[in-house]
Structure formats: structure tokens, C-alpha cells
Amino acid sequence: MSLEFAQIVAALISFGLGVGQTFYYLRVRKIFNSLPIVFAEIIGSRLLHQLDLDNKDLTQAIINFKYSYQRNEHESSSPVLRGFELFPSFDYERALVKKYRPGDRATARVVQGRSVEAYLEVAPLSRASYSVVLLLVVFPMVLVVLGYLGYTESFVAWLKYHVEFWLTL
């Protein structure tokens, strides 16, 4: 397999991952907007801030709310429908706690499955996730262009030099 072909394959895979993540998020958001709406009452709202088992910082909004669906009372503690987040937004979690205070009324969307679950909103992609998508789309294309122009080896040497330099700091 030639170097140019390998670069093109890597670029296409990265491009597909970046665009795929965006389309997946848009699909989840579209499905969420089509779900039945119920009125919910917020009964508890707090910000959980602790270290998990791997000593990673964990910040999450814990918002309890009750709602009625098909003449049955339900309670939920999952305020946000979340996708996979490589880089969660801690500011978003703090904003959720400020937005949904005990005693407030809000609209929720109901998901029917094995059990009935409701969510207040869909978590947006974080800025870091947008940056990763941009890198997954743009960087491989730059590599393909550099490979086509014959600058791949000099670019790899330049990149290696700068990575080693920053790692020594």
C-alpha cells in the first residue's frame, strides 16, 4: 500500500467519524423533538462534584422531577438526554442547576421503552467536541494535500520536532 493511498484512507475514515458524530447528534435531537411533551415539576436540583473511581473529576447536574404520563405519576432524575461526550462541559452542568430550581415547572419529553423515562432537554455538543470534529475533518485533508504535493516527510519531521519540544517543557 502506498503512502498516498494510506493517507487518503486515513483521511476518509477521520472525515467519516467527524461527520458521523455530527449527524448522530442531529438525529438524536430530531427524535427528541418528536417525542410526546408532558409538564414536569422540579422537586430537587443539585450539582454533583466529586472524583470517580479513576480519580477523574466528575461534575453532573442531578435534577429530580415528577410528571404525569397516561394518567400515571412518574419521577425521573435524568434531566438531559446525553450522547457520548469525549469532553463534557462543566459550565453546562452548572447552568442546568441554575435553570431548573425546585418548585419550577418545565416541559419534558417522554421516551417509551421497557419503562417510561422523561428528559428535560438534549445536551449540546461541547465546544471541545466541535473542535475534535473539526480536527477529524480538516487535519486529514491537509495531510492528503501535503502528501499529494510531496511534503509528507518534511511535515512529519516538523511535527515530530514540535511535539518533542512541547513534551520536554
Side-chain angles (χ1 to χ4, degrees):
M1 180 184 305
S2 70
L3 184 61
E4 290 84 15
F5 181 71
Q7 286 175 320
I8 291 171
V9 169
L12 290 175
I13 290 171
S14 295
F15 181 79
L17 288 173
V19 172
Q21 176 185 352
T22 303
F23 281 120
Y24 176 75
Y25 173 76
L26 293 174
R27 181 167 161 33
V28 166
R29 191 169 188 95
K30 181 180 177 183
I31 291 170
F32 179 80
N33 289 333
S34 70
L35 295 172
I37 298 173
V38 295
F39 292 102
E41 181 182 347
I42 310 301
I43 55 177
S45 178
R46 67 185 173 94
L47 187 65
L48 174 69
H49 187 94
Q50 65 185 27
L51 296 176
D52 66 5
L53 295 175
D54 296 326
N55 285 330
K56 293 180 183 174
D57 193 26
L58 173 68
T59 302
Q60 185 176 4
I62 307 295
I63 300 172
N64 298 324
F65 59 97
K66 60 182 179 180
Y67 60 96
S68 178
Y69 182 68
Q70 295 180 344
R71 297 187 180 120
N72 294 324
E73 292 292 321
H74 300 277
E75 198 170 305
S76 179
S77 61
S78 303
V80 179
L81 181 59
R82 302 173 196 277
F84 173 73
E85 290 184 321
L86 189 57
F87 305 103
S89 172
F90 303 121
D91 293 333
Y92 176 68
E93 299 297 326
R94 288 184 193 101
L96 278 174
V97 172
K98 289 179 183 176
K99 183 177 179 181
Y100 299 108
R101 305 300 307 158
D104 289 351
R105 292 183 125 342
T107 58
R109 303 281 180 151
V110 178
V111 178
Q112 293 177 315
R114 290 183 214 160
S115 63
V116 176
E117 187 66 43
Y119 300 98
L120 299 172
E121 57 187 72
V122 176
L125 285 175
S126 66
R127 289 183 185 142
S129 292
Y130 282 126
S131 300
V132 168
V133 169
L134 185 63
L135 282 175
L136 286 174
V137 172
V138 172
F139 187 70
M141 295 303 168
V142 169
L143 288 179
V144 168
V145 169
L146 289 174
Y148 181 74
L149 297 174
Y151 294 114
T152 302
E153 291 176 16
S154 60
F155 176 72
V156 168
W158 176 86
L159 187 61
K160 182 179 177 183
Y161 171 77
H162 283 87
V163 167
E164 287 174 356
F165 172 77
W166 287 106
L167 289 176
T168 59
L169 293 180

